[in-house]
């Protein structure tokens, strides 16, 4: 009796699994102009060239890192980034692997996903701090970054 009941249930599970259709939701690019834009933001940060970043980001862009309660305006983020150099020397930002540009059909979303390693030597303690993180940059139709989010353990980065 048990086998008689289990077989139809098993058959239903198998049929359901194979009846699901596949659907694409966009394209992933390994090379794209938006990837170049994100790389330019990292280079501008290292050169303390906020004028370049002003052109790259939308005026209304927001910035957020893991651990923060809410995003901040990009102009406040520029100040935050500049202050890194007050507390750390020998700052480096290096890519880990390669970035991808994800162009989703749903809502025509345009996102660059990139993996990085940030390092700097504390001016106070002399300790070298290293933070690995993933970054997502959302672009608008004008090709400007409108939202940037970073996920990593930034609690290691002490500014005092």
């Amino acid at each position: 009796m048990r086998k008689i009941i289990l077989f139809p249930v098993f058959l239903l599970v198998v049929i359901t699994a194979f009846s699901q259709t596949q659907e694409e939701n966009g394209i992933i690019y390994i090379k794209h102009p938006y990837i170049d834009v994100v790389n330019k933001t990292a280079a501008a940060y290292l050169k303390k060239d906020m004028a370049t970043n002003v052109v790259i980001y939308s005026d209304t862009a927001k910035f957020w890192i893991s651990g923060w309660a809410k995003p901040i305006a990009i102009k406040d983020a520029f100040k935050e980034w500049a202050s890194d150099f007050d507390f750390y020397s020998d700052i480096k930002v290096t890519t880990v692997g390669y970035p991808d540009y994800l162009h989703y059909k749903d809502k025509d979303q345009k996102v660059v996903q990139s993996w990085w390693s940030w390092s700097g030597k504390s001016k106070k303690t002399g300790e070298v701090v290293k933070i690995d993180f993933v970054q997502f940059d959302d672009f608008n139709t004008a090709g400007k970054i409108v939202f940037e989010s970073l996920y990593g353990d930034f609690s290691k980065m002490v500014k005092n």
Side-chain angles (χ1 to χ4, degrees):
M1 181 69 172
R2 194 172 176 183
K3 290 181 182 178
I4 294 172
I5 294 171
L6 288 178
F7 182 72
V9 170
F10 173 74
L11 191 59
L12 182 63
V13 168
V14 170
I15 291 171
T16 303
F18 286 108
S19 68
Q20 295 178 5
T21 60
Q22 294 182 6
E23 182 181 352
E24 290 183 4
N25 184 27
I27 303 172
I28 298 174
Y29 297 84
I30 193 168
K31 292 181 182 177
H32 192 276
Y34 288 171
I35 293 172
D36 297 336
V37 169
V38 171
N39 289 334
K40 286 178 187 176
T41 66
Y45 165 78
L46 290 171
K47 293 177 187 173
K48 303 179 205 173
D49 178 9
M50 294 309 151
T52 293
N53 279 337
V54 166
V55 175
I56 291 173
Y57 290 86
S58 161
D59 292 341
T60 58
K62 299 285 184 187
F63 176 76
W64 177 86
I65 63 172
S66 51
W68 286 7
K70 60 183 183 175
I72 62 173
I74 197 64
K75 290 183 181 178
D76 296 329
F78 293 159
K79 293 174 192 168
E80 184 73 24
W81 300 343
S83 74
D84 292 350
F85 296 91
D86 296 335
F87 298 95
Y88 292 90
S89 62
D90 304 322
I91 293 177
K92 295 179 181 76
V93 179
T94 54
T95 56
V96 177
Y98 58 88
D100 288 314
Y101 168 61
L102 309 133
H103 188 183
Y104 295 104
K105 283 183 191 176
D106 184 32
K107 300 178 186 171
D108 194 28
Q109 298 172 73
K110 302 163 179 60
V111 180
V112 172
Q113 169 186 293
S114 51
W115 302 85
W116 303 86
S117 183
W118 181 96
S119 65
K121 183 176 179 180
S122 170
K123 290 182 179 181
K124 184 177 182 180
T125 67
E127 176 189 5
V128 174
V129 176
K130 181 181 176 195
I131 302 167
D132 295 319
F133 64 97
V134 61
Q135 177 174 317
F136 297 92
D137 289 279
D138 299 351
F139 286 79
N140 63 17
T141 54
K144 296 209 177 223
I145 297 172
V146 292
F147 190 77
E148 184 170 272
S149 55
L150 281 64
Y151 297 84
D153 185 4
F154 290 91
S155 66
K156 301 174 189 178
M157 194 177 198
V158 179
K159 292 185 179 180
N160 57 17

